Amino acid sequence: MLIARRADTRARADFATWKMMAKLNGSSALPLEAQEFLVSYKNLLAQMSESEASETTIGAIYKSYYAEMGGTGTPPDVRTRPAEPAADNVTAFRRQAPKAKKKAASSGAAAFDGTQKRPLPVALIFACLVVVYVGIRLYWP
């Protein structure tokens, strides 16, 4: 049963990849076996719906992979329930709600949260430069 599950998973993944490559006009880069399966899929599309053709093609790929992986006899049915659309398993991504911003205080210091550095006022920087300059002039011989 482990071989059957692996073969089925690989068949479904490979078929999806091959189908996407064919849509992107890259089917010539696929192996010969993959190209043959895609041709049989296109032939089946003319006779049945897309989902039925996909399942039939995946079944053929599954049987091929099952034998290739060392399975003997008829491959067991690993899908106990009918195939469901893949969209049922997809979780939609949601943007997080923006954080509420604090109202700015009169000095403007409260407008910056912990992730941003508060800018030093220009006057404070200028005062520090004056102190350093005067200190160097007075104490430097």
Side-chain angles (χ1 to χ4, degrees), residues 1-23:
M1 196 61 175
L2 181 63
I3 292 173
R5 284 191 197 128
R6 284 185 185 168
D8 183 66
T9 303
R10 183 176 165 203
R12 290 183 183 281
D14 283 353
F15 179 69
T17 304
W18 297 341
K19 196 171 163 184
M20 185 57 66
M21 291 279 292
K23 284 183 182 179

Side-chain angles (χ1 to χ4, degrees), residues 31-114:
L32 183 61
E33 179 187 22
Q35 291 177 9
E36 291 171 359
F37 281 121
L38 285 176
V39 168
S40 69
Y41 170 71
K42 288 178 185 176
N43 292 337
L44 289 173
L45 276 177
Q47 301 168 3
M48 54 183 77
S49 70
E50 184 179 354
S51 62
E52 291 173 341
S54 294
E55 283 301 316
T56 304
T57 305
I58 289 172
I61 298 169
Y62 163 64
K63 289 177 184 176
S64 170
Y65 284 173
Y66 182 76
E68 182 182 305
M69 291 180 173
T72 56
T74 305
D77 184 25
V78 292
R79 298 286 174 183
T80 56
R81 55 188 170 150
E84 298 176 5
D88 291 344
N89 296 333
V90 176
T91 303
F93 288 107
R94 297 183 198 146
R95 291 186 183 260
Q96 293 182 349
K99 295 181 181 178
K101 293 185 179 181
K102 298 178 184 177
K103 292 188 177 183
S106 60
S107 67
F112 295 93
D113 57 356

